[in-house]
């Protein structure tokens, strides 16, 4: 199999380079031996999309894959020719963009979850270290944590134990005088 980038470099001005893509499409939709006219028509469609409408061969191949994947749901189980491509390429590429954005959002959420878990693990380690401190030091650190949280706009009645403990851990980590 040839890499798409190599195909795109070779294709400029050479319509015969589109033929394998066209023949492969017909094979995938169940037309094992398309007529020469059908292949030539497909080549001219692909050539127009690449050279006149400035689609990349990668976009065209994605769109052809999209047609094959959606034959049963969008095309009543049948696709007669590659002539459908100019009519659905926008929809196919829009779906690709949507899928890529969705995938990127999912990756970002996973990265954030990983960071949150790492942060929580660090806080837990610090909380464990805090438990080993003498009670006078803990009380002083607790007072500093409450003072810090109130200074950042938290109201005293909403200072839950976990929030205070996390702030104590952060202060301890920063080396606040205890």
């Amino acid at each position: 199999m040839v890499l798409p980038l190599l195909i795109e470099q070779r294709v400029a001005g050479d319509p015969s380079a589109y033929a394998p893509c066209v023949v492969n499409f017909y094979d995938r939709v169940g037309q094992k031996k398309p007529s020469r006219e059908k292949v030539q028509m497909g080549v001219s469609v692909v050539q127009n999309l690449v050279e006149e409408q400035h689609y990349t061969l990668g976009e065209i191949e994605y769109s052809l894959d999209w047609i094959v994947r959606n034959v049963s749901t969008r095309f009543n189980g049948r696709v007669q020719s590659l002539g459908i491509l100019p009519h659905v390429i926008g929809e196919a590429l829009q779906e690709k963009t949507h899928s890529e954005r969705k995938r990127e959002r999912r990756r970002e959420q996973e990265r954030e979850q990983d960071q949150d878990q790492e942060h929580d693990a660090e806080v837990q380690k610090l909380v464990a270290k805090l438990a080993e401190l003498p009670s006078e030091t803990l009380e002083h650190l607790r007072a500093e944590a409450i003072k810090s949280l109130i200074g950042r706009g938290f109201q005293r009645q909403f200072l839950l134990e976990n929030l205070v403990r996390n702030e104590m851990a952060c202060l301890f980590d920063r080396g606040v005088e205890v």
Side-chain angles (χ1 to χ4, degrees), residues 48-177:
N48 176 273
L49 289 170
V50 170
E51 296 174 8
E52 300 295 322
Q53 298 185 42
H54 307 291
Y55 286 100
T56 66
L57 198 55
E59 290 171 327
I60 290 170
E61 292 199 5
Y62 177 86
S63 299
L64 292 173
D65 288 341
W66 182 87
I67 291 170
V68 171
R69 281 193 317 272
N70 290 288
V71 163
S72 61
T73 58
R74 306 249 179 170
F75 307 107
N76 297 323
R78 294 180 57 189
V79 172
Q80 293 298 313
S81 77
L82 198 132
I84 189 87
L85 181 60
H87 303 285
V88 298
I89 192 168
E91 185 179 355
L93 295 176
Q94 183 178 11
E95 187 176 298
K96 177 183 180 189
T97 301
H98 178 72
S99 295
E100 288 171 349
R101 285 183 187 149
K102 202 173 181 180
R103 200 171 16 261
E104 184 54 38
R105 276 194 301 270
R106 202 173 315 120
R107 275 192 229 118
E108 183 61 33
Q109 288 173 341
E110 289 170 0
R111 279 192 294 270
E112 288 174 5
Q113 286 175 346
D114 290 346
Q115 288 174 348
D116 288 348
Q117 288 173 349
E118 288 173 15
H119 176 73
D120 290 347
E122 288 297 318
V123 168
Q124 291 306 316
K125 288 178 188 175
L126 290 170
V127 168
K129 288 181 183 178
L130 287 176
E132 298 171 1
L133 294 176
S135 60
E136 309 84 47
T137 305
L138 281 174
E139 284 306 312
H140 176 71
L141 198 53
R142 181 179 187 71
E144 289 297 316
I146 291 171
K147 182 176 157 185
S148 172
L149 290 168
I150 290 173
R152 292 194 339 235
F154 288 90
Q155 294 181 6
R156 185 177 289 277
Q157 66 265 29
F158 297 117
L159 296 180
L160 301 175
E161 186 59 32
N162 282 343
L163 180 62
V164 173
R165 198 174 315 129
N166 285 347
E167 185 66 14
M168 289 171 64
C170 290
L171 291 173
F172 181 74
D173 188 42
R174 282 188 253 145
V176 170
E177 291 293 320

